[in-house]
Amino acid sequence: MRKLQHPASDSLILTHVLYALSDPLRLSIVQKLAQTEGLTCGSFELPIAKSTASHHFRVLREAGVIHMRPEGTQYINSLRRTELDQRFPGLLDAILNAPIQL
Amino acid sequence: MRKLQHPASDSLILTHVLYALSDPLRLSIVQKLAQTEGLTCGSFELPIAKSTASHHFRVLREAGVIHMRPEGTQYINSLRRTELDQRFPGLLDAILNAPIQL
């Protein structure tokens, strides 16, 4: 797998992050990554086509919410929690602690 | 103007709120309302067509972010800050305090 581009932590854009988190499925990915770091895309067992899942991971990556590291034939995903907390203090915690209605 | 429907405070949905705030123009409306309550739609002087502006106010209202009260031939807008703070503690503050790149 090729190395993917990620936005720098000091250039993350609030509206892009909010948009990335405004989808129930993407939010569920982030919630799972908040509990368990280093998950492959396949391990989420999402109830959608692979191409649709790839789209959602891309939106999260391009907004700077997740980091995708190539390893063999897969990507290992992690939440960019420290960088998000630095740039938007309190935002991620507020979202992760909110009542969720999917 | 007719009375408009607003979602109940205990049924606000996180992803709807995040989506409503994920647009730079809608975010700018919310930022202005956070400083000054009770503004008519026209007072925002948005650089867009009136119909587009109406769409943005509707998205904010339907997500439960703003309240629109009819008064004469206009709507008076206010931020549902207390209700948002109760349902999603810390979220609005984190967003209003974030560095903004429109």
Side-chain angles (χ1 to χ4, degrees):
Chain A
M1 308 297 269
R2 67 193 171 85
K3 194 174 175 192
L4 299 173
Q5 292 217 317
H6 295 80
S9 55
D10 60 356
S11 66
L12 301 185
I13 296 176
L14 177 62
T15 50
H16 294 188
V17 171
L18 296 178
Y19 177 76
L21 297 170
S22 72
D23 177 87
L25 199 135
R26 290 196 294 270
L27 187 55
S28 76
I29 292 173
V30 168
Q31 289 172 315
K32 194 161 177 182
L33 282 177
Q35 298 177 325
T36 315
E37 286 290 297
L39 295 172
T40 63
C41 297
S43 67
F44 288 88
E45 297 178 356
L46 302 171
I48 51 174
K50 196 172 173 182
S51 59
T52 309
S54 296
H55 161 76
H56 285 304
F57 281 101
R58 183 165 57 78
V59 172
L60 287 168
R61 172 177 57 82
E62 290 180 348
V65 176
I66 66 171
H67 187 273
M68 299 177 70
R69 175 170 57 81
E71 191 173 289
T73 59
Q74 299 184 101
Y75 286 107
I76 308 292
N77 300 283
S78 56
L79 192 56
R80 294 178 65 178
R81 187 193 278 266
T82 307
E83 291 152 292
L84 287 166
D85 285 347
Q86 276 182 351
R87 181 122 173 104
F88 308 116
L91 179 65
L92 198 59
D93 280 340
I95 288 170
L96 291 174
N97 294 330
I100 306 293
Q101 289 174 290
L102 298 179
Chain B
M1 309 297 270
R2 66 194 170 88
K3 195 174 175 193
L4 299 173
Q5 291 217 317
H6 295 80
S9 55
D10 60 356
S11 66
L12 301 184
I13 296 176
L14 177 62
T15 50
H16 295 188
V17 171
L18 296 178
Y19 177 76
L21 297 170
S22 72
D23 177 88
L25 200 134
R26 290 196 295 269
L27 188 55
S28 76
I29 292 172
V30 168
Q31 288 172 315
K32 194 162 178 181
L33 282 178
Q35 297 177 327
T36 314
E37 287 288 299
L39 296 173
T40 63
C41 297
S43 67
F44 289 87
E45 296 178 359
L46 302 172
I48 51 175
K50 196 172 173 183
S51 61
T52 310
S54 296
H55 161 76
H56 286 304
F57 281 101
R58 183 165 56 81
V59 172
L60 288 168
R61 172 178 58 82
E62 290 181 347
V65 176
I66 67 170
H67 187 272
M68 299 177 69
R69 176 171 55 84
E71 191 172 288
T73 61
Q74 300 183 100
Y75 287 107
I76 309 292
N77 300 282
S78 57
L79 192 55
R80 294 178 65 179
R81 188 194 278 265
T82 307
E83 291 152 293
L84 287 167
D85 285 348
Q86 277 181 352
R87 181 122 174 103
F88 309 117
L91 180 65
L92 198 59
D93 280 339
I95 289 171
L96 291 174
N97 294 331
I100 305 292
Q101 290 174 290
L102 298 181

Coordinates of all heavy atoms in Angstrom, one line a residue, chain A residues 29-78:
Chain A
I29 N -16.7 4.9 13.5 CA -15.2 4.6 13.3 C -14.4 5.3 14.3 O -13.5 4.7 14.9 CB -14.8 4.9 11.8 CG1 -15.5 4.0 10.8 CG2 -13.3 4.8 11.7 CD1 -15.3 4.4 9.4
V30 N -14.7 6.6 14.5 CA -13.9 7.4 15.4 C -14.1 6.9 16.8 O -13.1 6.9 17.6 CB -14.2 8.9 15.2 CG1 -13.7 9.7 16.4 CG2 -13.7 9.4 13.9
Q31 N -15.3 6.6 17.2 CA -15.6 6.1 18.5 C -14.8 4.8 18.8 O -14.3 4.6 19.9 CB -17.1 5.9 18.7 CG -17.8 7.2 18.8 CD -19.3 7.0 18.8 OE1 -19.8 6.2 18.0 NE2 -20.0 7.7 19.6
K32 N -14.7 3.9 17.8 CA -14.0 2.7 18.0 C -12.5 2.9 18.1 O -11.8 2.3 18.9 CB -14.3 1.7 16.8 CG -13.9 0.3 17.1 CD -14.6 -0.7 16.2 CE -14.1 -2.1 16.4 NZ -14.7 -3.1 15.6
L33 N -12.0 3.9 17.3 CA -10.6 4.2 17.4 C -10.2 4.9 18.7 O -9.1 4.8 19.1 CB -10.2 5.0 16.2 CG -10.0 4.3 14.8 CD1 -9.7 5.3 13.7 CD2 -8.9 3.3 14.9
A34 N -11.2 5.6 19.3 CA -10.9 6.2 20.5 C -10.7 5.2 21.6 O -10.0 5.5 22.6 CB -12.1 7.1 20.9
Q35 N -11.2 4.0 21.4 CA -11.1 2.9 22.4 C -9.9 2.0 22.1 O -9.3 1.5 23.0 CB -12.4 2.1 22.5 CG -13.6 3.0 23.0 CD -14.9 2.2 23.0 OE1 -15.1 1.4 22.2 NE2 -15.8 2.5 23.9
T36 N -9.7 1.8 20.8 CA -8.7 0.8 20.4 C -7.9 1.4 19.3 O -8.4 1.7 18.2 CB -9.3 -0.5 19.9 OG1 -10.4 -0.9 20.8 CG2 -8.3 -1.6 19.7
E37 N -6.6 1.7 19.5 CA -5.8 2.2 18.5 C -5.3 1.1 17.5 O -5.3 0.0 17.9 CB -4.5 2.9 19.1 CG -4.8 4.2 19.8 CD -5.1 5.3 18.8 OE1 -4.3 5.7 18.0 OE2 -6.3 5.9 18.8
G38 N -4.9 1.6 16.3 CA -4.2 0.6 15.4 C -5.1 -0.4 14.8 O -4.7 -1.6 14.8
L39 N -6.2 -0.1 14.3 CA -7.1 -1.0 13.7 C -7.0 -1.0 12.2 O -7.0 0.1 11.6 CB -8.6 -0.8 14.1 CG -8.9 -0.9 15.6 CD1 -10.3 -0.4 15.9 CD2 -8.7 -2.4 16.0
T40 N -7.1 -2.1 11.5 CA -7.1 -2.1 10.1 C -8.6 -1.7 9.6 O -9.5 -1.9 10.4 CB -6.8 -3.5 9.5 OG1 -7.9 -4.4 10.0 CG2 -5.5 -4.0 10.0
C41 N -8.7 -1.3 8.4 CA -10.0 -0.9 7.9 C -11.0 -2.1 8.0 O -12.2 -1.9 8.3 CB -9.9 -0.4 6.5 SG -8.9 1.1 6.3
G42 N -10.5 -3.3 7.7 CA -11.3 -4.5 7.7 C -11.9 -4.8 9.0 O -13.0 -5.4 9.1
S43 N -11.2 -4.5 10.1 CA -11.6 -4.9 11.4 C -12.8 -4.2 11.9 O -13.3 -4.6 13.0 CB -10.4 -4.7 12.4 OG -10.2 -3.3 12.6
F44 N -13.3 -3.2 11.2 CA -14.4 -2.5 11.7 C -15.7 -3.2 11.3 O -16.8 -2.9 11.9 CB -14.5 -1.1 11.1 CG -13.5 -0.1 11.7 CD1 -12.2 -0.1 11.2 CD2 -13.8 0.6 12.8 CE1 -11.2 0.8 11.7 CE2 -12.8 1.5 13.4 CZ -11.5 1.5 12.8
E45 N -15.6 -4.1 10.4 CA -16.8 -4.9 9.9 C -18.0 -4.0 9.7 O -19.1 -4.2 10.2 CB -17.2 -6.0 11.0 CG -16.1 -7.0 11.2 CD -16.4 -8.0 12.3 OE1 -17.4 -7.9 12.9 OE2 -15.5 -8.9 12.5
L46 N -17.8 -3.0 8.8 CA -18.8 -2.1 8.5 C -19.8 -2.7 7.5 O -19.5 -3.5 6.6 CB -18.2 -0.8 7.8 CG -17.1 -0.1 8.7 CD1 -16.4 0.9 7.9 CD2 -17.8 0.5 9.9
P47 N -21.1 -2.4 7.7 CA -22.2 -3.0 6.9 C -22.4 -2.3 5.6 O -23.5 -2.0 5.1 CB -23.4 -2.8 7.8 CG -23.1 -1.5 8.5 CD -21.7 -1.4 8.7
I48 N -21.3 -2.0 4.9 CA -21.3 -1.3 3.6 C -20.3 -1.8 2.7 O -19.4 -2.6 3.1 CB -21.0 0.2 3.8 CG1 -19.7 0.4 4.7 CG2 -22.2 0.9 4.6 CD1 -19.2 1.8 4.8
A49 N -20.4 -1.5 1.4 CA -19.4 -1.9 0.4 C -18.0 -1.4 0.7 O -17.9 -0.3 1.3 CB -19.9 -1.4 -1.0
K50 N -17.1 -2.2 0.3 CA -15.7 -1.8 0.6 C -15.3 -0.4 0.0 O -14.6 0.4 0.6 CB -14.7 -2.9 0.0 CG -13.3 -2.8 0.5 CD -12.5 -4.0 0.0 CE -11.1 -3.9 0.4 NZ -10.2 -5.0 -0.1
S51 N -15.8 -0.1 -1.2 CA -15.5 1.2 -1.8 C -16.1 2.3 -1.0 O -15.6 3.4 -0.9 CB -16.0 1.2 -3.2 OG -17.5 1.0 -3.3
T52 N -17.3 2.1 -0.4 CA -18.0 3.1 0.4 C -17.2 3.3 1.7 O -17.0 4.4 2.1 CB -19.4 2.7 0.7 OG1 -20.1 2.3 -0.5 CG2 -20.2 3.8 1.4
A53 N -16.7 2.2 2.2 CA -15.9 2.3 3.5 C -14.6 3.1 3.2 O -14.2 3.9 4.0 CB -15.6 0.9 4.0
S54 N -14.0 2.8 2.0 CA -12.8 3.5 1.7 C -13.0 5.0 1.6 O -12.2 5.8 2.0 CB -12.3 3.0 0.3 OG -11.9 1.7 0.4
H55 N -14.2 5.4 1.0 CA -14.6 6.8 1.0 C -14.6 7.4 2.3 O -14.1 8.5 2.6 CB -15.9 6.9 0.2 CG -16.6 8.2 0.5 ND1 -16.2 9.4 -0.1 CD2 -17.6 8.6 1.3 CE1 -16.9 10.4 0.3 NE2 -17.8 9.9 1.2
H56 N -15.2 6.7 3.3 CA -15.4 7.3 4.6 C -14.0 7.4 5.3 O -13.8 8.4 6.0 CB -16.3 6.4 5.5 CG -17.8 6.5 5.1 ND1 -18.4 7.7 5.1 CD2 -18.7 5.6 4.7 CE1 -19.7 7.6 4.7 NE2 -19.9 6.3 4.5
F57 N -13.2 6.4 5.2 CA -11.8 6.5 5.8 C -11.0 7.7 5.1 O -10.3 8.4 5.8 CB -11.0 5.2 5.6 CG -11.4 4.2 6.6 CD1 -12.3 3.1 6.2 CD2 -11.0 4.2 7.9 CE1 -12.7 2.2 7.1 CE2 -11.3 3.2 8.8 CZ -12.2 2.2 8.5
R58 N -11.3 7.9 3.8 CA -10.6 9.0 3.2 C -11.0 10.3 3.7 O -10.2 11.3 3.9 CB -10.8 8.9 1.6 CG -10.1 10.0 0.9 CD -10.0 9.7 -0.6 NE -11.3 9.5 -1.2 CZ -12.2 10.4 -1.6 NH1 -11.8 11.7 -1.4 NH2 -13.3 10.2 -2.1
V59 N -12.4 10.5 3.9 CA -12.9 11.8 4.4 C -12.3 12.1 5.8 O -11.9 13.2 6.1 CB -14.4 11.7 4.5 CG1 -15.0 13.0 5.2 CG2 -15.0 11.7 3.1
L60 N -12.2 11.0 6.6 CA -11.6 11.2 8.0 C -10.1 11.5 7.9 O -9.7 12.4 8.6 CB -11.8 9.9 8.8 CG -13.3 9.6 9.3 CD1 -13.4 8.2 9.8 CD2 -13.7 10.6 10.3
R61 N -9.4 10.9 7.0 CA -8.0 11.1 6.8 C -7.8 12.6 6.3 O -6.9 13.3 6.8 CB -7.4 10.1 5.9 CG -5.9 10.4 5.5 CD -5.3 9.3 4.6 NE -6.0 9.1 3.4 CZ -5.9 9.8 2.3 NH1 -5.1 10.9 2.3 NH2 -6.6 9.6 1.2
E62 N -8.5 12.9 5.3 CA -8.3 14.2 4.6 C -8.6 15.4 5.6 O -8.1 16.5 5.4 CB -9.0 14.3 3.3 CG -8.4 13.4 2.3 CD -9.1 13.5 0.9 OE1 -10.2 14.1 0.8 OE2 -8.5 13.0 -0.1
A63 N -9.5 15.2 6.5 CA -9.9 16.2 7.5 C -8.9 16.3 8.6 O -8.9 17.2 9.4 CB -11.3 15.9 8.0
G64 N -8.0 15.2 8.7 CA -7.0 15.2 9.8 C -7.5 14.5 11.0 O -6.9 14.6 12.1
V65 N -8.6 13.8 10.9 CA -9.2 13.1 12.1 C -8.4 11.8 12.4 O -8.2 11.5 13.5 CB -10.7 12.9 12.0 CG1 -11.2 12.1 13.2 CG2 -11.4 14.2 11.8
I66 N -8.1 11.1 11.3 CA -7.4 9.8 11.5 C -6.1 9.8 10.7 O -5.9 10.5 9.8 CB -8.2 8.6 11.1 CG1 -8.5 8.6 9.6 CG2 -9.5 8.5 11.9 CD1 -9.1 7.3 9.1
H67 N -5.2 8.9 11.2 CA -3.9 8.7 10.5 C -4.0 7.3 10.0 O -4.4 6.3 10.7 CB -2.7 8.9 11.4 CG -1.4 8.8 10.7 ND1 -0.7 7.6 10.4 CD2 -0.7 9.8 10.1 CE1 0.3 7.9 9.7 NE2 0.4 9.1 9.5
M68 N -3.6 7.1 8.7 CA -3.6 5.8 8.1 C -2.2 5.4 7.6 O -1.6 6.0 6.7 CB -4.5 5.8 6.8 CG -6.0 6.1 7.2 SD -7.1 6.2 5.7 CE -7.2 4.4 5.3
R69 N -1.7 4.4 8.3 CA -0.3 4.0 8.1 C -0.3 2.7 7.3 O -0.9 1.7 7.7 CB 0.4 3.8 9.4 CG 1.8 3.2 9.3 CD 2.5 3.3 10.7 NE 1.7 2.6 11.7 CZ 1.8 1.2 11.9 NH1 2.5 0.5 11.2 NH2 1.1 0.7 12.9
P70 N 0.4 2.7 6.1 CA 0.4 1.4 5.3 C 1.3 0.4 6.0 O 2.3 0.7 6.6 CB 1.1 1.8 4.0 CG 1.9 3.1 4.3 CD 1.2 3.7 5.5
E71 N 0.8 -0.9 6.0 CA 1.5 -2.0 6.6 C 1.1 -3.2 5.8 O 0.0 -3.7 5.9 CB 1.2 -2.2 8.1 CG 2.2 -3.1 8.7 CD 2.0 -3.2 10.3 OE1 2.3 -2.2 10.9 OE2 1.4 -4.2 10.7
G72 N 2.1 -3.7 5.0 CA 1.8 -4.8 4.1 C 0.7 -4.5 3.1 O 0.8 -3.5 2.4
T73 N -0.4 -5.3 3.2 CA -1.5 -5.0 2.2 C -2.6 -4.3 2.8 O -3.7 -4.2 2.3 CB -2.0 -6.4 1.7 OG1 -2.5 -7.1 2.8 CG2 -1.0 -7.2 1.0
Q74 N -2.4 -3.7 4.0 CA -3.5 -3.0 4.7 C -3.0 -1.6 5.2 O -1.9 -1.3 5.1 CB -3.9 -3.8 5.9 CG -4.4 -5.2 5.6 CD -4.8 -5.9 6.8 OE1 -6.0 -6.0 7.1 NE2 -3.9 -6.5 7.6
Y75 N -4.0 -0.9 5.7 CA -3.7 0.4 6.4 C -4.1 0.2 7.9 O -5.1 -0.4 8.2 CB -4.5 1.5 5.8 CG -4.0 2.0 4.5 CD1 -4.7 1.7 3.3 CD2 -2.8 2.7 4.4 CE1 -4.2 2.1 2.1 CE2 -2.3 3.1 3.2 CZ -3.0 2.8 2.0 OH -2.6 3.2 0.8
I76 N -3.2 0.7 8.7 CA -3.5 0.7 10.2 C -3.9 2.1 10.5 O -3.3 3.1 10.3 CB -2.2 0.4 11.0 CG1 -1.5 -0.9 10.4 CG2 -2.5 0.3 12.4 CD1 -2.3 -2.2 10.7
N77 N -5.1 2.2 11.1 CA -5.8 3.4 11.4 C -5.6 3.8 12.9 O -5.7 3.0 13.8 CB -7.3 3.4 11.1 CG -7.6 3.1 9.7 OD1 -7.4 3.9 8.8 ND2 -7.9 1.8 9.4
S78 N -5.4 5.1 13.1 CA -5.3 5.6 14.5 C -5.9 7.0 14.5 O -5.9 7.7 13.5 CB -3.9 5.6 15.0 OG -3.1 6.4 14.2

